[in-house]
Amino acid sequence: MPYLGSEDTVRELRRALSNPNVQSDQLRYRNTILKVIRAMSQGVDVSGLFSEMVKACATVDIVQKKLVYVFLCSYATLNPELSLLVINTLRKDCQDPNPMVRSLALRNMTNLRLPSLVEYVEQPLTAGLRDRAACVRRVAVLGWAKLHNLQPNSEIDAAVVNELYSLLRDPDPVVMVNCLRALEEILREEGGVAINKPITHHLLNRLKECDVWGQCEVLRILQRYRPQSEDELFDILSLLDAALVSPHPPVMAATLSLFLSLCSSLPAVSLAALERVRGPLLAACGSVSREMRFTALCHIQLLLRSLPGLMGAHYKRFFCGYAEPAYIKQRKMQVLVELVNDENVAMLLDELKGYCTDVNTDTAQAAISAIGRIGRSYSDRCLEILTGLLGLKQEHITSAVVQTMRDLVWVCPQCSETVCLALEGCEETLQDSQGRQALLWLLSVYGERVSNAPYTLEVFIDGVRSETSLGVKMELLTTTMRLFMCRPAETQDMLGRLLHYCIEEETDMCVRDQALLYYRLLQCGIEETRKVLQGRRSDPSLGVLIGRPAEPISQWASSFNTLEPLRQGTVETESASRGSPEHASFDPKPNTDLSDTLDCSQIERVHSGSDSTSGCTDSSADVLASSVAVPLSLSLSPALSPEEFERLWLQRLALHAERGAEKLEEEDYICFEERIHCPAIPQCSPQSLQAAMQLVNIQTMAFTPPHTLPWRVYLYTHTQQGHSGDTPHSTLILGELLYTGEGNQRRVVTKGIDGGEVVEGSEEELVKEGEEATAYGLSRRESARKDGEEQDVKVTLKQQPRDDKALKGFLSILTTVLHTLSSERN
């Protein structure tokens, strides 16, 4: 049809629809109606043809009927009076012998969406519920839901509700699912469809007959049902077994969500269910659909929160493809960080290094950030890669590397030397504000170690008038002040120029107020300024290991198979927008002051041979109480890297195995073992344990997640003990806390090398009960433990050089911390 104006188009179409010659030719009449629909889809207002289209619906041609009904449903609200003319035709079609015509008439009768037509629609819908054709019953069931949505405040007809409940046993599965949806809509204010035991088992038995979305709907509604007995629960789990490994990801996800809901009190069964869905999730990650891949990756991250090793053997499945979009690549890199271990770290770092030069800057920066997170455990390897990337002299790569280094030294202070050497020359490449803020923070904290720090600052100060970033200006003020504290001769002149500009010429009030604060602070004296500005350089209590402690499944089960995992952009990522990491605080347990709870009342006396000593910590947790004969303090300096700790620990272990206790006793080295009664320590969160240890200057190097057996924690500290008339004596102590899950033990004290002999005690065997978990072979075992029973944690300490009194004093402090955490846990 040639292009005409909208009025001319409507006039031409009306003339064609009213032409008797066109009406007599069925093909021409249908093509004319098709032109009307095409004009409507192009935005032309063809509502003026409503009366002509009403006449056109009186035909036996099903295709023409469908076209006319599309038009009538679109413009019925604009022509409510003329729409009454359609009702007679539709009611007549509801009596047609062709079930397709009957279903089409019912569907469009409810799609008119006119409250004035409700009284004409109810009778055909009631008859449709009893129609012999399944396609008509499907439409009639959903028609009642549409009718209720049209008049939500009207009274609910109990007869209709009973009829819909009876149709839950309809032989057609689509009718059954449509009844569930309709009842959910109609009974929304009453909590939705009522689910009891007969309905639940009926739906489960017919689950395989439904299509994919029908199964998902049934599984979602069944989450409301709670089994009345354990046997019934296992019967339901058996019926769900096949759906748990369904090749359709939506069905698998809905089944697992139902599994987690039913097994909330059975963690062993829930964990076994997570293991079973590993295959379907990996298959979904290789789906052709990008949306399916992204959704599967998001839900895998959710599962890794409770089962970190779930995908460990399949880490190669998360390597990025060249043609994959950036959002999938970034999500895969987040998963790879969670899967790093000693066996695959080299391959993963090599893979991530390749992503750092990706053409997409966001992907490249995400890869660099992922390397930085891995650097918390493997700092040497990661720093080597990050330093090499700085040599590329690319703006976005240099910015991301500097920000990553800033975050890395905040949690791993032992990396500071390498980072300081790599900073020289970075300012020439940095252009974005976030990268410059990160560089300035590093210069403010480690400026005394960077030889050209004053010259780098001078470049920033000379260009402060053209600086547009508020964050860079404020960070520049803080950095210059801190550098003045350690290098006053080189920084005094530029500090004066910077303060003068910020106070006299700067228009931003935030920068001006900060400059005035620093100026008045300097008037109070250098020592007062130093107390305010010399903050922490790092926060090892945030953890030196990547990943997260294993969370209970109940914390995220409710968000599984929802949009919530897709909204979470990152997992425990460091914010790139902050200027100084020390502005972020870490509170392991809100409203709890650990220093107040570490008192002498919780000290347990340590027995070893005939000697006996005890100790406690004061509120600062740095000094032993007077019960220890010689003053003892603990220190984290010099810091140990995870690699150095592992080397020293394994070296001492090998010497102990080769030479034996008697020979090592003569050397300047001691190995000591002790068992401590501390309830619930293995269930304590790693964050709380790290924070408590950090409070008394004990650094945790590695730990296993809570509720994992055997449970281990590795730690170290330096003891400094002052002897009268002598210089302070320093020793290094390496420690291991081990809990194997054996209860009802008699306390065992091993004298170790200190006493020259080893005394071993007997242990009672742990009693376990086995119960059948599910019909598909799952079994859960629970430890037979009484309420309030205490657990024994084995403490192994290795000290060099040997100092028995310092070792016993350290053990007193460690015992105090463990008892404090244990009492808080209870």
Side-chain angles (χ1 to χ4, degrees), residues 439-725:
L439 176 62
L440 288 172
W441 184 85
L442 288 169
L443 292 178
S444 70
V445 176
Y446 299 103
E448 72 279 4
R449 302 185 191 178
V450 183
S451 58
N452 66 340
Y455 307 103
T456 303
L457 276 186
E458 190 169 14
V459 174
F460 280 94
I461 293 174
D462 290 342
V464 70
R465 285 179 172 80
S466 59
E467 180 60 56
T468 58
S469 173
L470 173 63
V472 172
K473 290 181 180 179
M474 299 181 73
E475 196 69 55
L476 180 60
L477 274 170
T478 304
T479 301
T480 310
M481 286 289 294
R482 284 184 172 180
L483 199 60
F484 175 71
M485 296 293 101
C486 58
R487 302 172 74 166
E490 301 169 278
T491 319
Q492 181 177 359
D493 179 65
M494 64 179 72
L495 175 61
R497 288 190 285 118
L498 179 62
L499 289 176
H500 180 271
Y501 166 79
C502 292
I503 295 174
E504 299 295 337
E505 302 180 35
E506 177 60 45
T507 57
D508 189 276
M509 294 303 296
C510 294
V511 178
R512 182 175 178 273
D513 288 348
Q514 185 174 348
L516 283 171
L517 171 66
Y518 288 157
Y519 178 76
R520 292 164 182 166
L521 194 60
L522 287 171
Q523 291 179 332
C524 297
I526 293 297
E527 291 304 321
E528 292 296 326
T529 305
R530 194 184 306 275
K531 291 179 183 179
V532 173
L533 289 178
Q534 295 298 340
R536 296 176 298 170
R537 294 189 172 194
S538 63
D539 191 357
S541 67
L542 290 176
V544 297
L545 294 181
I546 60 172
R548 64 175 77 219
E551 299 180 8
I553 297 177
S554 58
Q555 290 191 6
W556 53 264
S558 60
S559 63
F560 189 82
N561 198 28
T562 66
L563 293 178
E564 186 63 28
L566 277 64
R567 297 192 189 104
Q568 299 172 356
T570 58
V571 179
E572 204 177 292
T573 56
E574 290 77 18
S575 173
S577 61
R578 67 170 186 263
S580 304
E582 68 263 27
H583 293 166
S585 61
F586 175 74
D587 187 6
K589 190 172 185 179
N591 303 323
T592 300
D593 189 357
L594 277 174
S595 62
D596 294 339
T597 62
L598 291 175
D599 53 29
C600 300
S601 62
Q602 296 175 344
I603 298 289
E604 180 174 337
R605 197 170 290 269
V606 180
H607 300 277
S608 181
S610 60
D611 297 332
S612 177
T613 184
S614 63
C616 67
T617 57
D618 60 4
S619 60
S620 64
D622 288 329
V623 184
L624 282 173
S626 57
S627 58
V628 180
V630 182
L632 176 70
S633 62
L634 305 181
S635 173
L636 297 179
S637 299
L640 283 183
S641 66
E643 291 82 2
E644 291 174 343
F645 182 93
E646 182 180 11
R647 179 180 59 81
L648 290 173
W649 183 265
L650 295 178
Q651 179 183 2
R652 298 305 172 193
L653 191 63
L655 288 175
H656 188 276
E658 292 178 3
R659 304 184 185 181
E662 290 78 4
K663 293 184 179 180
L664 282 178
E665 180 184 5
E666 301 173 358
E667 297 186 0
D668 198 14
Y669 165 76
I670 184 173
C671 180
F672 185 85
E673 293 183 358
E674 174 74 9
R675 287 190 180 271
I676 302 176
H677 289 274
C678 41
I681 274 293
Q683 285 76 38
C684 181
S685 69
Q687 292 95 334
S688 299
L689 183 62
Q690 277 190 319
M693 294 294 183
Q694 183 71 19
L695 192 63
V696 294
N697 287 335
I698 301 175
Q699 178 62 55
T700 55
M701 294 299 296
F703 46 80
T704 53
H707 311 287
T708 303
L709 297 179
W711 179 82
R712 298 176 186 269
V713 174
Y714 290 97
L715 48 88
Y716 80 89
T717 191
H718 297 271
T719 64
Q720 294 180 356
Q721 193 167 9
H723 299 273
S724 56

Side-chain angles (χ1 to χ4, degrees), residues 21-90:
N21 295 326
V22 174
Q23 294 177 359
S24 60
D25 189 338
Q26 184 176 350
L27 184 58
R28 289 180 62 189
Y29 200 24
R30 182 198 297 178
N31 290 335
T32 303
I33 294 174
L34 188 60
K35 291 177 183 179
V36 175
I37 301 301
R38 185 182 297 118
M40 182 181 70
S41 64
Q42 293 174 351
V44 178
D45 183 12
V46 290
S47 59
L49 302 175
F50 196 87
S51 58
E52 285 77 10
M53 294 295 285
V54 169
K55 298 176 183 178
C57 70
T59 178
V60 295
D61 185 5
I62 296 181
V63 176
Q64 181 174 323
K65 279 182 179 292
K66 289 183 178 180
L67 293 174
V68 174
Y69 287 155
V70 169
F71 176 90
L72 295 178
C73 293
S74 299
Y75 289 105
T77 54
L78 300 178
N79 300 273
E81 296 180 357
L82 291 176
S83 298
L84 287 172
L85 301 176
V86 189
I87 288 297
N88 288 332
T89 303
L90 291 174

Side-chain angles (χ1 to χ4, degrees), residues 785-796:
R785 297 179 304 200
K786 297 180 180 179
D787 295 340
E789 181 184 20
E790 296 182 336
Q791 307 298 328
D792 279 2
V793 175
K794 180 181 177 182
V795 180
T796 303

Side-chain angles (χ1 to χ4, degrees), residues 316-545:
K316 291 185 180 179
R317 301 286 294 270
F318 301 99
F319 285 176
C320 302
Y322 176 78
E324 286 182 327
Y327 62 90
I328 290 183
K329 289 183 179 180
Q330 294 170 21
R331 190 66 68 154
K332 281 189 172 182
M333 283 185 277
Q334 294 174 15
V335 175
L336 286 175
V337 171
E338 302 289 336
L339 302 181
V340 172
N341 54 44
D342 293 340
E343 288 75 20
N344 61 26
V345 60
M347 182 174 292
L348 288 182
L349 286 177
D350 186 62
E351 185 74 14
L352 289 172
K353 181 180 178 181
Y355 305 152
C356 294
T357 54
D358 194 275
V359 293
N360 185 291
T361 57
D362 292 335
T363 301
Q365 292 175 348
I368 294 171
S369 178
I371 293 176
R373 286 179 53 77
I374 297 175
R376 295 185 177 189
S377 287
Y378 305 94
S379 55
D380 294 342
R381 300 180 186 181
C382 295
L383 282 175
E384 182 180 353
I385 296 176
L386 294 174
T387 305
L389 292 174
L390 289 176
L392 299 178
K393 301 295 183 181
Q394 295 188 23
E395 177 184 339
H396 68 282
I397 293 180
T398 303
S399 175
V401 169
V402 173
Q403 294 178 63
T404 301
M405 286 182 168
R406 172 199 62 190
D407 297 333
L408 187 57
V409 298
W410 178 243
V411 294
C412 299
Q414 66 270 15
C415 305
S416 57
E417 291 292 340
T418 306
V419 171
C420 290
L421 293 176
L423 288 180
E424 297 185 5
C426 292
E427 70 280 358
E428 300 175 359
T429 312
L430 288 174
Q431 297 297 327
D432 70 309
S433 59
Q434 300 300 330
R436 285 180 291 170
Q437 281 182 257
L439 176 62
L440 288 172
W441 184 85
L442 288 169
L443 292 178
S444 70
V445 176
Y446 299 103
E448 72 279 4
R449 302 185 191 178
V450 183
S451 58
N452 66 340
Y455 307 103
T456 303
L457 276 186
E458 190 169 14
V459 174
F460 280 94
I461 293 174
D462 290 342
V464 70
R465 285 179 172 80
S466 59
E467 180 60 56
T468 58
S469 173
L470 173 63
V472 172
K473 290 181 180 179
M474 299 181 73
E475 196 69 55
L476 180 60
L477 274 170
T478 304
T479 301
T480 310
M481 286 289 294
R482 284 184 172 180
L483 199 60
F484 175 71
M485 296 293 101
C486 58
R487 302 172 74 166
E490 301 169 278
T491 319
Q492 181 177 359
D493 179 65
M494 64 179 72
L495 175 61
R497 288 190 285 118
L498 179 62
L499 289 176
H500 180 271
Y501 166 79
C502 292
I503 295 174
E504 299 295 337
E505 302 180 35
E506 177 60 45
T507 57
D508 189 276
M509 294 303 296
C510 294
V511 178
R512 182 175 178 273
D513 288 348
Q514 185 174 348
L516 283 171
L517 171 66
Y518 288 157
Y519 178 76
R520 292 164 182 166
L521 194 60
L522 287 171
Q523 291 179 332
C524 297
I526 293 297
E527 291 304 321
E528 292 296 326
T529 305
R530 194 184 306 275
K531 291 179 183 179
V532 173
L533 289 178
Q534 295 298 340
R536 296 176 298 170
R537 294 189 172 194
S538 63
D539 191 357
S541 67
L542 290 176
V544 297
L545 294 181

Side-chain angles (χ1 to χ4, degrees), residues 172-223:
D172 185 71
V174 179
V175 174
M176 179 186 71
V177 175
N178 285 357
C179 282
L180 289 175
R181 293 170 176 162
L183 287 170
E184 280 286 287
E185 184 72 22
I186 295 172
L187 303 176
R188 178 178 299 177
E189 295 183 359
E190 300 178 11
V193 58
I195 300 296
N196 53 28
K197 183 176 179 179
I199 292 178
T200 298
H201 287 266
H202 170 72
L203 294 176
L204 288 173
N205 288 324
R206 298 193 57 190
L207 190 62
K208 294 181 180 179
E209 303 176 17
C210 304
D211 58 7
V212 172
W213 298 113
Q215 293 182 48
C216 295
E217 186 73 16
V218 170
L219 292 168
R220 181 185 65 83
I221 292 177
L222 287 179
Q223 291 190 23

